[in-house]
Structure formats: structure tokens, C-alpha cells
Amino acid sequence: MSRLLLILLGAALPILFFTPSEGGEVGVCYGRVATDLPDPASVVQLLKKNGITMVRIYDTDPTVLRSLANTNIKVTVELTNEELPLAAADQNNFALQWVQSNVKAYYPATLINGVTVGNEVFKEASQLNSQLVPAMKNVQAALAKLGMADAVKVTTPIAFDALNPSFPPSAGTFRDDIALSVMSPMVDFLQQTGSYLMVNFYPYLAYLATPGMSIDYLLFRPNNGVLDTGSGQTYFSLFDAQLDAVYYAMEKLPSSSMHVGGMRKLTAGGGTPEVHHGEEGHPNKGHGGVGTPQNAQDFMAGLTHQVLQGNSGTAAANGHRPLTASAVRGTPHRPNADLNVYIFALFNENNKPEDDQDFGLFYPNQQPVYPNPIDFVHGGTSGGPLQPSYCVANAAVGDAALQAALDFACDNRDGNRADCSAIQPGQPCFEPDTKLAHASYAFNDYYQKNGRVKSACDFSGAGTIVNQAPSGACDPSPSWCVVNAAVGDTRLQAALDYACGPGAANCTDIQPGARCFDPDTKVAHASFAFNSYYQLRGRATGTCDFAGAGIIVQQAPKIGNCVLPSTAMR
Ligand SMILES: *[C@@H]1O[C@H](CO)[C@@H](O)[C@H](O)[C@H]1NC(C)=O
């Protein structure tokens, strides 16, 4: 139903106005470029167990499509870049044959709802640029002939670098080599068929390419926002900014179907098709340190929360952006847009180029990669608050192995390993002077510094991860995170909600009647929550930032009768 019609009906029959909209949806990319993945039937069980309702696959593999039958999981299939020229030429009804045997043959038992024609054609197969829209039209015509044009939408995923410039969002423009020749007719086609443009987004790439950008802005954490001087809008996530850049770029394309020259945004309903996220990825390893399980979790938790709960009330209450006066579902430029996102990817894929392997939500053995798995039903994470975690040395490996690991951990020439100055003779953590105590100190420093990735507590078997602060552990320079009272209540509340949000600190102790409820002030409660979050995150860089609302202190703070700990508590 068109938005216009909905509004008209809503005015006549107010009850309809409150019918929940379709809302956004989160799916996953089920890539299979790996040698060690579970069989498709097991994968379907994994999807169901996690409440995942849509998948995107990169082919039309019969076993996969049959495994997805009768599951109610929506499936987007791909006509590959290799098949694309055949679909464009369409000799001997290639497109019709293709749709018949790869879509119709499985539908409706397998709920195929989209066909992607090619993938990142401009980037991966630019010699096919001119054939892209003709291929899409032939596939569309084939679907129409088979009576499936309403149920199955035709689109193509493009890489975000199809835009230049892409910042600020209001300056978003498609590259010259594709704007008029490909994007303009494609957007007309998508508009006419009620389909959507797909864009593959990897915001961490823009983060890495932009010195000075706040990682909080990338990871949906509280931050000061980035002003788009063109539109006057402030963006609180790179996700919103990139999506809006695509909308602005589409609006600048001339439309062949428009009788009066002008921009698409002047027409009703925004004048452009929706943008769906064909891939939205963040690495769980590597990429200059931005890829860690915790960072990937923060990114996907913020993303899923925004898609499933919106940016309004609840989202603000979880601190993903400051409270706003009006309820917002989409982005600053498209506040009413429903977000549809495929997370890249379901699994780590060991047969991809090394830089592309570690994007999975799950390891091939189906264990979650993130410390707290993503909640696909409500957004955010499931599995309760963050748990403390430390790395200790394992006496059983013997002194020689401990010494070797200690030498490695303390070789801090590049600044990324442990700071071992406190365990030198005469320094505060020299006693007890045992290899075990020194190794535990160094291992833990290294582990916390490296974002608590499992591999940072390996040390060839000499390290073990534990969830209790080791007794007698030496802390030469304790620190705490408390509120910087100079920030206003609105920002404080947003940061407090983030610190106590899903997958963050356990804030039971500041609930009414609990140990640290008194004094009942925002500053006291936020200090408790900030400190708890900071300690739980191993005091890692940036974990006491809260968009300027937190400050690190070296003196034990005391707030009423509530003593803020200098180690992580559950
Ligand atoms: C949260 O903190 C409370 C109070 O300290 C504790 O009883 C509870 O077990 C904690 N919950 C979790 C899930 O760690």
C-alpha cells in the first residue's frame, strides 16, 4: 500500500492509522566460500534457533534452497555476474528459463522474495555496466510472465564506492561513469517495479580512511555527532550518514519518467525507491585493530536495535543517540524509512581472501564469535550484561614456556603489547617475585589492551581466560570512570542508558532499594554505571568517553555509601 493511500485511509478510519507498519527487518548473508561450514540443513536450524527471518545467498544452490523450504525464512537469490551477460542478451529466453528453474521451481515452499542481478558489478565486473539494467529488466519480465512479479523483487547490490563524493551525506552523488548511464535508468526501473536499491555497506572502511573520526560514531555508541553543513542535520552514526548519502545521490539523478525536469525529491513519497542494505559488515579480526569481536558486536547490536526498535524513545533510551523530540524510525533525511539490512555474514569464511575472512557472526562450528550474541528478535544483544574477563598464566606449562611467553608479551616496542614496567625490581608489582605472578600480570595487560580477543590470551597455551578477578592481582595504577558533571542531563541520560544497555554494565545495584540507589541523583547513578562499564571493558581506551560525559580519575571516588570498585564486578 502506498504511503499516500495509507494516510488517506488513516484520516477516514483513524484505527488504521495505528496499524503497525511493516517495520524494518534484519537478515543475514549466508556466504559459503569456505571449506568447513555445516551442511545447509544444520545452517537452517541455526537460523531458526536465532530467530533470523531473512537470508541472502550468492547463487541458487539447490540443496540450500530445498533446506530453506517450509521455514518461513525469506530468501534473496542471486543471478551471478557470470550469468548476467546471458540474461542481458536473453537469447532463447535465457531469463525465463533461469527464473523457471531457479526461482519458480522452489517457490512458494521456499519463500524467495528477491533476485539480485549480479553483485557489485561496477566494482567486480565493470565491463558489464551497460548490460546491468537490461538484464534486470529481462529477469523482471520473466517473473511477470510467470505471475511472480509482486512476490519477487529484482534489484542489484552496488558497493558504496559507487558514490563520489559520499560525505557529507547531502553531497552524496553517484560517480560520473555510472550516474546517467546506469543509475538513472536503474532507479526509474526500481521505482516502477516497487523494488529497492541494494547497497553493500562497510562503514569501518570510511572510519579507517578518515583520521580523527570517533570510533563511537562508527559503533553506535554515545558521541557528539557530525554536522552535515549542507543540510544542517547532525548525524550520530556513520550508518545513518552513509544511508542518507545514497538517498541524496538518488535524488540528484534526473528521471526519464518525469514530465517536468527537476529533482526526484520534489515528487510525492520521496521520489526514490527504498535503499536496502545488501551487506552491512564489520570485521571481528584485523583491519588495523578496528576488527575485534567486541567492536563487531557493538556495531551489530546498535544496528539491529535501530532497525528493529527505531531511533525513537526506546533507541534513545538505549543511548544509541541522544533523545530527540520526535519519534524517528529511519535516518535524519528519511525519518520514516523502514530499514532493511542483511548482516554480512553468517559465518567466517576461510576460502575468501585473508582480509575478507573474519566477518562472521558464527564460527563454522556454530559457536558465536561475539562475547554476547545478537538478539535478532529485539535487536541489541542477548545473554545478559557484559561479564568480566581476565587472562592469567597457567602454571602447568612450566617456567620455560612462561618465560618465553613473558618475553613476548613484554616486548612492547610497538606499544601494542604489555606495559611491564610495574613488574621490574623495585616497582610496585615486583612482589611476589615468581614467574607465574609476573606472567599473569603481563598476560592480562596484553589481553585487556587487545580488546579481550580470545587469541590475545593464548600465549601458546600458557594463558587462560577467567571471569573472576584473580586474587592478589597487583594493580599499580588503579583508575575509575566518573561523570563529568558539566554535561547536561539529556546527554547524561543517554550515556547512562547506553552504559546500562543490553550487553553493557549490570545496573541492578542502582535500582530503587539496591546497594547504590542512594544518593538518588543522575550524576551518582551515571558514575556507578560509567565506572562499571569502564572496568568491565578492561579500562580500554575510549571506554570512559561517553561523548564527553565521562572522565577518568586516579583517586578512589566515594559517592554516599557506594564504593566504586577499581576492578570489574559482575
Ligand atoms: C547483577 O548484579 C547483581 C547485584 O550485584 C547480582 O546479584 C546479579 O547476579 C548480577 N547479574 C548478572 C547477570 O551478572
Side-chain angles (χ1 to χ4, degrees):
M1 193 183 293
S2 78
R3 174 151 291 132
L4 186 61
L5 184 54
L6 191 65
I7 290 168
L8 289 175
L9 284 173
L13 299 164
I15 193 124
L16 279 184
F17 206 59
F18 296 101
T19 305
S21 82
E22 214 179 281
E25 197 161 349
V26 178
V28 294
C29 296
Y30 172 18
R32 294 185 294 112
V33 189
T35 56
D36 51 359
L37 296 187
D39 62 76
S42 310
V43 173
V44 169
Q45 291 313 310
L46 180 69
L47 296 172
K48 285 164 74 174
K49 202 171 85 187
N50 282 278
I52 295 169
T53 53
M54 346 189 261
V55 291
R56 178 181 164 205
I57 63 174
Y58 293 86
D59 51 23
T60 51
D61 183 84
T63 313
V64 171
L65 287 175
R66 276 195 294 269
S67 300
L68 285 160
N70 308 310
T71 58
N72 263 334
I73 296 172
K74 293 176 225 162
V75 188
T76 288
V77 297
E78 178 169 310
L79 181 141
T80 63
N81 289 351
E82 289 69 39
E83 295 167 307
L84 197 152
L86 298 169
D90 205 22
Q91 283 176 2
N92 307 318
N93 288 323
F94 177 87
L96 188 65
Q97 302 295 330
W98 190 92
V99 170
Q100 180 73 51
S101 52
N102 294 296
V103 180
K104 176 102 179 165
Y106 301 97
Y107 185 89
T110 301
L111 263 187
I112 298 173
N113 71 338
V115 175
T116 52
V117 174
N119 186 37
E120 301 196 355
V121 168
F122 307 143
K123 195 183 183 116
E124 304 296 334
S126 59
Q127 75 282 6
L128 302 178
N129 284 3
S130 64
Q131 298 172 66
L132 180 53
V133 175
M136 293 168 80
K137 288 185 170 166
N138 290 337
V139 172
Q140 174 72 26
L143 285 164
K145 203 170 247 173
L146 295 170
M148 306 180 74
D150 285 336
V152 182
K153 294 301 173 195
V154 174
T155 186
T156 190
I158 65 173
F160 186 66
D161 67 6
L163 269 64
N164 189 16
S166 60
F167 181 84
S170 62
T173 309
F174 287 108
R175 280 184 349 226
D176 283 346
D177 62 314
I178 51 169
L180 294 182
S181 54
V182 191
M183 289 314 299
S184 194
M186 186 198 295
V187 166
D188 283 342
F189 165 81
L190 297 170
Q191 181 86 332
Q192 283 153 15
T193 56
S195 186
Y196 39 83
L197 178 65
M198 264 193 176
V199 182
N200 295 343
F201 292 95
Y202 291 87
Y204 79 95
L205 293 173
Y207 167 77
L208 290 176
T210 313
M213 184 186 283
S214 154
I215 195 165
D216 298 330
Y217 179 66
L218 168 68
L219 298 178
F220 294 87
R221 295 177 189 152
N223 65 85
N224 291 326
V226 174
L227 176 68
D228 180 336
T229 48
S231 67
Q233 302 261 26
T234 298
Y235 284 80
F236 292 96
S237 75
L238 185 52
F239 170 88
D240 282 353
Q242 293 199 331
L243 180 54
D244 273 354
V246 179
Y247 277 116
Y248 278 109
M250 277 202 288
E251 288 164 8
K252 288 173 191 142
L253 295 171
S255 165
S256 59
S257 64
M258 240 182 272
H259 300 295
V260 211
M263 307 223 276
R264 288 169 193 270
K265 68 178 160 194
L266 301 178
T267 64
T272 69
E274 281 182 24
V275 176
H276 289 194
H277 302 241
E279 294 174 4
E280 189 64 63
H282 190 99
N284 56 55
K285 190 175 169 185
H287 299 268
V290 75
T292 68
Q294 187 67 60
N295 284 352
Q297 174 186 308
D298 283 356
F299 181 82
M300 294 305 172
L303 168 75
T304 52
H305 197 276
Q306 178 167 338
V307 172
L308 297 169
Q309 309 279 342
N311 263 333
S312 59
T314 2
N318 281 287
H320 295 135
R321 56 163 55 188
L323 294 163
T324 46
S326 55
V328 169
R329 197 158 79 230
T331 60
H333 186 50
R334 292 289 180 104
N336 296 315
D338 282 331
L339 303 171
N340 278 277
V341 175
Y342 291 91
I343 290 175
F344 185 90
L346 186 55
F347 294 109
N348 283 349
E349 295 171 69
N350 67 0
N351 247 358
K352 295 205 136 184
E354 190 169 337
D355 262 5
D356 298 342
Q357 291 184 3
D358 298 297
F359 283 76
L361 294 161
F362 295 94
Y363 294 108
N365 68 6
Q366 305 190 41
Q367 289 306 303
V369 173
Y370 302 170
N372 284 339
I374 296 300
D375 179 341
F376 285 91
V377 180
H378 308 97
T381 52
S382 55
L386 264 179
Q387 295 300 318
S389 133
Y390 306 88
C391 181
V392 296
N394 185 355
V397 299
D399 271 9
L402 284 181
Q403 185 63 53
L406 191 53
D407 291 343
F408 169 84
C410 294
D411 181 4
N412 194 30
R413 278 170 298 190
D414 60 3
N416 291 324
R417 297 200 190 154
D419 176 356
C420 293
S421 51
I423 50 175
Q424 303 310 313
Q427 297 304 309
C429 298
F430 182 66
E431 298 295 342
D433 178 19
T434 66
K435 221 139 260 177
L436 189 63
H438 288 180
S440 280
Y441 178 91
F443 289 6
N444 189 53
D445 196 65
Y446 180 87
Y447 174 66
Q448 304 295 344
K449 227 181 209 166
N450 283 280
R452 296 181 176 169
V453 223
K454 263 200 198 101
S455 59
C457 183
D458 183 29
F459 300 105
S460 310
T464 306
I465 295 170
V466 297
N467 295 116
Q468 293 282 335
S471 68
C474 178
D475 189 354
S477 51
S479 65
W480 294 261
C481 178
V482 295
V483 157
N484 170 8
V487 307
D489 261 15
T490 310
R491 274 169 65 187
L492 207 52
Q493 184 67 49
L496 172 60
D497 292 335
Y498 182 84
C500 295
N506 174 356
C507 291
T508 311
D509 283 343
I510 49 174
Q511 300 309 310
R515 191 170 70 83
C516 289
F517 179 67
D518 284 321
D520 178 17
T521 66
K522 203 151 279 181
V523 168
H525 289 178
S527 288
F528 176 92
F530 288 7
N531 185 60
S532 174
Y533 181 84
Y534 175 65
Q535 306 296 348
L536 279 165
R537 280 289 176 91
R539 302 181 200 157
T541 311
T543 56
C544 179
D545 191 27
F546 300 105
I551 45 171
I552 295 169
V553 295
Q554 320 287 338
Q555 296 278 315
K558 199 157 179 305
I559 300 169
N561 289 322
C562 179
V563 178
L564 299 189
S566 65
T567 56
M569 314 278 278
R570 266 168 208 263

